[in-house]
Amino acid sequence: MRPKRGAPALPGVSALSWLVADARKGEVLAAHDAHRPLPPASTLKTLFAVTALPRLPKDGEHTATEAELDDVGEGSSEVGIVAGDSYTVEDLWNGVFLSSGNDAVHALAEMNGGWDTTVKQMRLKAKLLGAYDTHVVSPDGYDADGQVSSAFDLAVFGRTGLASREFVKYSSTVDAEFPGYGGTFGIVNTNRLLTGEDGVEPYRGLIGVKNGFTSEAGYTLIAAARRGGRTLVVTVMNPQWGGVHEVYEEARDLLDWGFKAAGRVTPVGSLEPPPPPLPPRPPMKDGPVPGPLARVLAPAAAPVQARKPVAAPARPARAAEDEREESGSGFVMPVAFIASACLAALALFFVRRAARRKPESHDA
């Protein structure tokens, strides 16, 4: 943090990694070890959502299969999908955001082209967003060797999701009906800071986003809230003291601090993505390239093989005029020819005139 005069003091936070940012501007107001790679647990579902939501039809349906459900990790949180039953895309996204259902992620990933395809898409999306600390192995956030993210990257995913109406709708939904048991049953969002469940006081202005827990990751949370025209996004990864609700209380303290610190701290970073890569250069067309671009765009010249010098044939000594005629001067030869013809005609004129005058001279 870079405080200005009157800036509030930071709260005590035990999380291994955390971050507070202005969601609209992308300015990071304060952070601690924000690029530390840590297991993200179900907060990684935010990256899954910003990757797959735009790709799947809103009114699509999917019939679950035994194969996709068999791949759900042991001990995973599930919404209760049954093989052979059909679900709408909206049902499945409610299962992802509210129940943190890994079975719902598997069903949506199958609709998205398969598990491996979805992993590749998520990895690419993370890079495009500048989330270089993240390595995706399991899109549902289930603990897997090498799977990590960071407080910075999770804030990037949360901020990206806030730009999508669908994402905000699902992440801020408190409860919904889910198909099953011959009808429907109720499901409730597991984000206690949103619902106020289990004695956690709900946070005023909370938009939601996503919470998570695994044995390796501990408790993780991405929380976004809006107050007074400002939207903040906070990430908290693995608090080291307190109970099972400590992650919510530390997020609450950081959100409170962020709203009080408006305009009183200098940003220490930005969540803005890097500029997009330049488009590929178009192939060169035949013909010269006008202007100075010719030197820049011209392909490298092919190597020229050395050749033995060939002696030029001896040239006969000739007058300079002959050389100019041979060089292609089309003006010298016609003028000389015309001049010669004129002189010849003039000489003939004087000869004939002299011939006519001789008799006259003789008579005189």
Side-chain angles (χ1 to χ4, degrees):
M1 181 183 75
R2 296 174 184 167
K4 299 179 182 178
R5 179 171 303 208
L10 277 168
V13 180
S14 70
L16 295 180
S17 179
W18 57 265
L19 180 145
V20 185
D22 184 303
R24 185 177 65 85
K25 299 178 180 179
E27 296 173 346
V28 178
L29 306 181
H32 170 71
D33 215 357
H35 290 284
R36 181 174 179 173
L38 293 167
S42 285
T43 51
L44 192 65
K45 289 181 171 74
T46 56
L47 175 58
F48 172 71
V50 298
T51 302
L53 258 174
R55 298 173 177 271
L56 299 177
K58 297 179 182 178
D59 56 352
E61 289 193 8
H62 177 71
T63 300
T65 66
E66 291 283 359
E68 67 197 36
L69 296 178
D70 286 344
D71 289 335
V72 176
E74 183 179 354
S76 291
S77 55
E78 300 182 24
V79 65
I81 293 177
V82 178
D85 287 358
S86 294
Y87 303 88
T88 66
V89 167
E90 183 176 7
D91 291 332
L92 295 173
W93 282 118
N94 279 331
V96 170
F97 277 92
L98 276 66
S99 298
S100 201
N102 289 6
D103 51 352
V105 173
H106 278 260
L108 288 167
E110 189 65 25
M111 294 183 69
N112 189 49
W115 196 251
D116 293 339
T117 296
T118 301
V119 168
K120 292 177 183 178
Q121 291 173 355
M122 291 173 66
R123 289 176 179 176
L124 177 60
K125 185 69 173 179
K127 289 181 180 179
L128 292 176
L129 293 174
Y132 303 124
D133 305 322
T134 298
H135 181 67
V136 179
V137 178
S138 184
D140 52 10
Y142 192 79
D143 287 336
D145 289 343
Q147 178 153 278
V148 292
S149 190
S150 68
F152 180 91
D153 288 7
L154 294 180
V156 168
F157 305 148
R159 180 184 184 234
T160 303
L162 293 176
S164 164
R165 291 183 179 180
E166 286 185 280
F167 184 101
V168 172
K169 180 186 76 171
Y170 291 122
S171 73
S172 61
T173 297
V174 173
D175 53 46
E177 292 294 312
F178 194 82
Y181 305 107
T184 62
F185 60 92
I187 57 176
V188 179
N189 202 310
T190 58
N191 184 349
R192 274 75 169 174
L193 206 59
L194 176 69
T195 65
E197 293 282 323
D198 297 338
V200 176
E201 182 183 353
Y203 192 82
R204 180 171 61 88
L206 195 79
I207 304 171
V209 186
K210 193 71 190 74
N211 59 309
F213 170 79
T214 66
S215 56
E216 291 187 24
Y219 291 94
T220 59
L221 177 67
I222 308 170
R226 184 178 294 118
R227 285 185 185 177
R230 296 187 70 228
T231 301
L232 297 181
V233 59
V234 163
T235 51
V236 179
M237 301 188 74
N238 201 349
Q240 297 299 289
W241 64 55
V244 296
H245 297 154
E246 182 65 21
V247 70
Y248 300 113
E249 299 309 321
E250 294 193 3
R252 182 195 311 278
D253 292 342
L254 290 172
L255 285 168
D256 285 344
W257 175 86
F259 285 118
K260 293 176 183 177
R264 297 177 179 177
V265 295
T266 300
V268 296
S270 175
L271 301 179
E272 282 290 308
L278 294 175
R281 191 173 68 190
M284 293 291 296
K285 294 182 179 180
D286 293 337
V289 179
L293 287 178
R295 292 191 299 273
V296 178
L297 300 180
V304 179
Q305 294 183 350
R307 296 187 300 175
K308 294 180 64 177
V310 179
R315 297 175 60 192
R318 304 180 64 183
E321 290 79 1
D322 292 339
E323 290 191 28
R324 284 197 296 270
E325 288 177 12
E326 188 177 63
S327 68
S329 173
F331 177 77
V332 175
M333 189 165 181
V335 170
F337 178 79
I338 292 172
S340 299
C342 290
L343 290 174
L346 187 62
L348 181 62
F349 169 76
F350 282 111
V351 169
R352 288 180 177 177
R353 184 175 180 182
R356 287 197 300 268
R357 285 182 176 180
K358 283 183 179 181
E360 293 176 1
S361 177
H362 181 72
D363 291 344

